Amino acid sequence: MPSKSHRPATDRIRQIMAANAATGMGSQAGDSRQKHCVYVRDDVYAWLPAKLLSINQPDELEQLRYRKRRQQQQNGGRSRRRARGEAGGANLSGDSLISGSSGAEDDGSSDDNATDNDADDELVNSVTATVLVQLPRNWREQTVLQDNPGDIEELECQASVHGGSVIGGSDDMSVRSGMTSALGADDDDTSGSSYLGGILGRPPPQSKLDNLLGGRDQRPGVERTVRLVDYPNNALPLQNVDRKGRLVGKSDMADLANLHEAAILYNLKARHVASTPYTRTGDIIIAVNPYQWIDGLYSEERMGHYADHLVWNVPDDVDAKSQVEPHVYETSSLAYHDMCVHGLDQSILVSGESGAGKTETVKILMNQLASFQSSGHVDAGFHSDDDEEADGADESGDGKADQKKKKKLQRKQTSFRTSPIVDRVLDSNPLLEAFGNAKTIRNDNSSRFGKFIEINFCDSGTLIGASIETYLLEKVRLISHADGERNYHIFYELLAGTSGSDQKKLMIDYASPEDFGMTRSASGTYHRRDGVHDESTFRELKTAMNTMGFDGEEQLDIFEIVAALLHLSNLTFAERGHDECLLDESNHSLEAALELCGVTLDGLEAALCSVVIEAGGERLVKTLGMAQCSKALEALIKATYGALFEYLVRRVNGCIASGVEAEDHLGSPSTPASPNNFQSASSMSETAAFIGVLDIFGFESFDTNSFEQLCINYCNESLQQQFNKFVFKLEQAEYEREGISWKFIDFPDNQDILDLIDKRHTGILSVLDEQCIQAFNTDQTFASSLYDKHCGRGGASASFAANNGQKARGMFNVHHYAGPVEYNTNAFLEKNKDETPK
């Protein structure tokens, strides 16, 4: 994340004070009009704006309040909580809803108080509110809610008939055909261009935001009765409205007076419908995937706009971010500016659920960071704050030190022309996507590995190279994938994009995905839904490999390995006696697999159908049964593809290390990289600082979750803790050091979940490693060990659960920060060992 050392403390105070609106009264809370403008939950839209008509409470509740007040007067006590609604909530009665924990104070001298408290709870739970729910126009037309676009019309119909509440609305987001800008053309725009293609940084017309934010052009409301007990603090969350009662949205959610879940989600929703995918929260940019490319949103003009305001012409008296609309270019521009001005390495974390758009966001970030290499540089190179102080001491007395600091960054040219090294950095994306991305249920181009990209700059601010480190390649996808998903893109691209002569060399002529075990799909999923064709992406892959220095022979070698894996996935075995198998020689893929792998039949059979045991100086060959041979073949496929992927990453790193160093180490751009001749870009003498971009799996929860999902979610738990540390812990520690008066913000700490997963001896991963040491342990013994350690009285964990039905099936629940996930321990030991045939 960008360096915060230059940010005024007042900005941080403002953000924290705004965040406190979630637990303190908003600035508009005293306005009677504000108290009537609330949100209500909705199963289709999550939250909808509503007008509060009345609070409906039983007569017994008022009598109970009167009795409580008389008791307090007799005891001389005072109520700690007066008759006002909770912060950020609306209550028309003028009295707080009392209960045993939040109502009037008693002396605790009578057992009748406990009975009264129970009665209080029962009465409070019966309080309801009558609201007039309003659905803004254009939401049905512009909202993507269902996998089947036609389903939303039925949901709308049910919502209007049944008070806007529909059970069973899908949370999945998918592309809706014909999606257009909800804002449309500006009233004063004769060219017909939409807001996003118009003037940079210009806010949307208020008249058209009214349609989205519940203004004058909204659908007739429907009355609904809601239970207040279903809402936090027994109160409906307040809207953020202006003096006329119109709901207002903010580009920076830290500026929302009432900051709570409903306000945040509705604000994001309104901006999403308005084709404005980016929203700011302090230093954080929130992106809601529009599932389409928006004209002008990533143009060179817009790229230059953010560079002008956040890199080259940064004002001294105001926050530069307030001069521009939120955008991912804001993050990359600030990172580059802070790296140059402060001489500090920067890191950008791109996080989100599967399908949120992380992969595309990383490519957008890299495109702008690469453009800075020819856009302008620091006059005297990188300099740190200490350097500025030293220079100021040398030039004190004549004001030159202040003049030097005000120079900042000065642009030399504005061209977006790129250099060969920049082309290589950008062209690494198609290569890694082909071998590391796949179609999943939620995302047609999902990254099935994590990567950390170091973009290196020299002391003049010029991009000189990059390096890529990868994590957690999902090799199990090579063996099986869920219905509606595909294997890695490269297999389909190779089958669709190779020419006739190359197909013969690869022995895949006239072949299709239906012909191979690793690409065959019971659900018939062979193509992408996002309009991208495998033939075109294969051409892009070939172009990228040429740019990065892969010659024709090396490309053919790589594709031969891919084709060999396709044929290996078709191999079958024939039983010969008890616990003995051989390769089925009648299989039509056997000959192609042997030729492409460059091995003999006897050599491949020895590797897959037997195992060598050495003990006491003796060497024993043991034959394997059918199931063991199949597992050995699967292990060979995963190990081969994993080695190929690692080779490609090393090869990419050798090409993008730097223009000079890469050729020195590799001999020429076409010379293959290897661990012996590869030099990390971060260790180069010319590298002054780097900007790191982390793109990692999002949090995952599917119908069946296994070892892979546990590892992915564990990684996200660690990132969440880092986020909490950055946003809350370090900020509050800095306030204490600066002596700023502030109210402590309580936030959820997920350390208990991390301990559950990785704590020594008792953590899930530690127990799994222990189980893998002993040869006779199984997934069932692993599950039993987990239940003993985390379901017993002595070691029960609040984040771990397993009922009797789950225990019978070897399953357990982990309550992650993002929600509970049920894991199936089937194949946990095998996947953790990740063994290849011996």
Side-chain angles (χ1 to χ4, degrees), residues 195 240 321 323 341 621 733:
Y195 152 66
N240 293 281
K321 294 183 296 185
Q323 309 300 306
V341 171
V621 178

Side-chain angles (χ1 to χ4, degrees), residues 613-620:
I613 301 174
E614 294 184 0
E618 295 184 359
R619 189 170 183 269
L620 175 65

Side-chain angles (χ1 to χ4, degrees), residues 178-194:
M179 179 184 275
T180 57
S181 171
L183 288 175
D186 194 347
D187 293 334
D188 301 326
D189 186 3
T190 59
S191 66
S193 63
S194 66

Side-chain angles (χ1 to χ4, degrees), residues 539-611:
R539 288 194 296 269
E540 294 176 4
L541 170 63
K542 297 271 289 183
T543 301
M545 296 179 81
N546 291 331
T547 303
M548 302 189 68
F550 289 81
D551 61 20
E553 184 179 352
E554 186 178 4
Q555 292 182 33
L556 183 60
D557 290 340
I558 292 171
F559 296 146
E560 283 181 349
I561 297 175
V562 176
L565 292 173
L566 287 170
H567 287 290
L568 284 172
S569 68
N570 278 346
L571 296 187
T572 54
F573 299 90
E575 288 185 328
R576 286 189 59 181
H578 181 66
D579 285 340
E580 182 178 0
C581 290
L582 294 176
L583 285 167
D584 184 2
E585 297 186 26
S586 64
N587 190 298
H588 68 280
S589 287
L590 179 59
E591 181 181 353
L594 295 174
E595 183 173 339
L596 292 169
C597 291
V599 297
T600 63
L601 175 61
D602 292 339
L604 187 58
E605 278 186 344
L608 299 178
C609 302
S610 62
V611 62

Side-chain angles (χ1 to χ4, degrees), residues 433-441 443-446 448 474 476-499 503 506 508 510-530 532-542 558-559 561-567 569 641:
E433 284 186 14
F435 287 87
N437 288 24
K439 178 190 182 303
T440 63
I441 294 176
N443 183 5
D444 278 14
N445 190 33
S446 176
R448 307 317 299 163
E474 189 184 37
V476 70
R477 178 170 293 273
L478 298 161
I479 308 306
S480 63
H481 47 272
D483 288 342
E485 298 189 350
R486 299 200 316 178
N487 214 312
Y488 288 104
H489 292 328
I490 184 59
F491 298 112
Y492 306 88
E493 294 173 357
L494 186 71
L495 293 170
T498 50
S499 62
Q503 284 184 346
L506 301 175
I508 56 172
Y510 306 110
S512 65
E514 296 96 325
D515 297 326
F516 299 99
M518 66 192 328
T519 54
R520 192 176 299 121
S521 171
S523 59
T525 305
Y526 299 111
H527 304 286
R528 294 169 59 165
R529 300 169 301 178
D530 54 4
V532 178
H533 300 286
D534 294 318
E535 298 92 332
S536 61
T537 52
F538 188 72
R539 288 194 296 269
E540 294 176 4
L541 170 63
K542 297 271 289 183
I558 292 171
F559 296 146
I561 297 175
V562 176
L565 292 173
L566 287 170
H567 287 290
S569 68
Y641 193 83

Side-chain angles (χ1 to χ4, degrees), residues 181-257:
S181 171
L183 288 175
D186 194 347
D187 293 334
D188 301 326
D189 186 3
T190 59
S191 66
S193 63
S194 66
Y195 152 66
L196 288 172
I199 300 175
L200 296 170
R202 178 180 176 184
Q206 181 60 45
S207 61
K208 292 177 180 176
L209 278 182
D210 284 342
N211 297 348
L212 310 172
L213 295 171
R216 52 190 171 86
D217 189 21
Q218 59 192 6
R219 295 184 176 187
V222 292
E223 285 194 13
R224 189 197 302 180
T225 300
V226 298
R227 298 194 316 160
L228 293 186
V229 71
D230 295 332
Y231 294 82
N233 301 317
N234 291 334
L236 299 176
L238 294 178
Q239 298 179 20
N240 293 281
V241 298
D242 59 16
R243 292 181 177 275
K244 296 183 179 180
R246 295 178 303 186
L247 202 156
V248 297
K250 296 291 185 180
S251 60
D252 190 337
M253 289 194 293
D255 295 331
L256 291 174

